[in-house]
Amino acid sequence: MTDAEQAGSVSMFRIRGDIIASISDDYGQITVIENRVYRILTFDRVCEQSKMQKSDPALPVHNYIRAMLMAVALKSPANVLILGLGGGCLARAMFARDAGCAMDIVELRPAVIDAARQHFSLPEATHVHYHAADADRFIAASASHRYDLIFSDLYDADSMSPVQETENFLQHSARALSADGWLVLNYPQRPAANGPLIQALQKQFSVLLRCVVPSGNVVIYASNAPFDLALSTLQRSAKRAGDAFGSDFSGLTPKLAVLSRRSPQGLF
């Protein structure tokens, strides 16, 4: 393929719309693109980091965000930790559901926080805190703080941050959860059944659930809380949870499944 052909091929997949902001930092480019319906945050003008419906900013647009939000069916949180801000989809949705929910939101790039504040209607309140910090270091230092839900959505321009599948990160996350709290992780594909990621998760958590979304992303829910809900009961609760976000989760709830659950006799 010639340079011209390669450039043309890339341009075919570029996000369409008007560029309303473009910022450079030490990590690369941050671009905000707008069309008639949506405002989009992107790092490479090909992959959407975040997408906001302009007429309803709190509405979750991407299916993987909806799947992550289904965690409120497992635990209705008083406090939340969000690792990876992007354009603030999770923060907006959680604040719209419960404006009294305390949130710590961690983003590595200060310029992303600035862009999201300026262009993506981030919630602002005395109990909502934005931290420009490395997610792993932040959660490692949060040993004295316990969160009801931890959302981890750590991505760069076109791939997941490898920290999200390390044993240290998962251990730090487990320690930062309340006794009945849940860690919610967005992975780009289904982990191997007996692969190192599942083994690391099983080492830290007694219960693992998952939801496979149409894009192929897999959201994993992990906890050390007692879990004796029938799957059908959880699916009905998760479907009802969509109402609190003004969204329909019915297409995702059948995809909820138990990955592993530790009993006194072991995993089953």
Side-chain angles (χ1 to χ4, degrees):
M1 181 181 289
T2 67
D3 289 345
E5 288 171 333
Q6 187 174 28
S9 176
V10 170
S11 66
M12 286 175 60
F13 297 100
R14 285 199 164 184
I15 298 166
R16 306 285 183 178
D18 299 322
I19 296 175
I20 61 171
S22 184
I23 308 156
S24 294
D25 65 5
D26 292 341
Y27 299 94
Q29 197 73 16
I30 302 162
T31 305
V32 180
I33 297 175
E34 184 175 85
N35 58 38
R36 186 174 58 85
V37 179
Y38 297 110
R39 187 168 291 171
I40 299 159
L41 181 77
T42 177
F43 297 153
D44 60 4
R45 296 187 62 192
V46 175
C47 298
E48 296 177 350
Q49 293 295 320
S50 281
K51 193 172 193 175
M52 181 183 77
Q53 184 171 307
K54 294 191 295 183
S55 63
D56 188 357
L59 183 72
V61 176
H62 287 127
N63 275 316
Y64 78 89
I65 294 290
R66 296 188 187 108
M68 296 182 81
L69 292 169
M70 287 196 299
V72 301
L74 296 162
K75 173 66 177 177
S76 183
N79 55 17
V80 167
L81 173 62
I82 298 174
L83 303 175
L85 171 66
C89 301
L90 289 166
R92 284 193 306 275
M94 290 300 297
F95 189 79
R97 175 186 178 271
D98 178 5
C101 180
M103 290 191 281
D104 282 319
I105 302 156
V106 180
E107 168 58 49
L108 179 64
R109 303 168 67 174
V112 170
I113 298 176
D114 292 342
R117 274 186 154 142
Q118 185 172 354
H119 299 288
F120 288 90
S121 305
L122 291 189
E124 301 285 356
T126 56
H127 54 280
V128 177
H129 305 284
Y130 297 91
H131 308 269
D134 175 86
D136 192 31
R137 292 178 183 173
F138 183 92
I139 202 166
S142 299
S144 62
H145 202 115
R146 296 290 182 266
Y147 296 97
D148 293 331
L149 290 179
I150 299 176
F151 294 103
S152 185
D153 187 24
L154 300 173
Y155 282 74
D156 56 23
D158 58 3
S159 62
M160 184 188 75
S161 169
V163 72
Q164 198 166 256
E165 47 189 1
T166 64
E167 191 166 331
N168 277 345
F169 173 78
L170 296 173
Q171 184 180 59
H172 295 152
S173 298
R175 290 176 178 172
L177 286 171
S178 60
D180 55 352
W182 287 80
L183 171 65
V184 186
L185 303 130
N186 174 34
Y187 290 107
Q189 58 193 12
R190 188 180 304 199
N194 294 306
L197 174 57
I198 293 298
Q199 290 180 19
L201 283 161
Q202 288 175 340
K203 185 176 179 179
Q204 299 299 329
F205 299 98
S206 60
V207 182
L208 299 177
L209 312 175
R210 64 106 171 108
C211 179
V212 181
V213 304
S215 64
N217 288 55
V218 176
V219 173
I220 292 180
Y221 316 82
S223 183
N224 285 309
F227 182 79
D228 55 6
L229 276 181
L231 182 60
S232 59
T233 302
L234 173 60
Q235 290 171 332
R236 287 194 296 272
S237 296
K239 181 178 179 180
R240 288 194 298 270
D243 296 340
F245 298 104
S247 185
D248 182 1
F249 290 174
S250 61
L252 294 172
T253 52
K255 305 295 185 181
L256 276 169
V258 177
L259 273 176
S260 65
R261 182 165 28 180
R262 189 181 299 136
S263 70
Q265 291 75 38
L267 293 171
F268 66 92

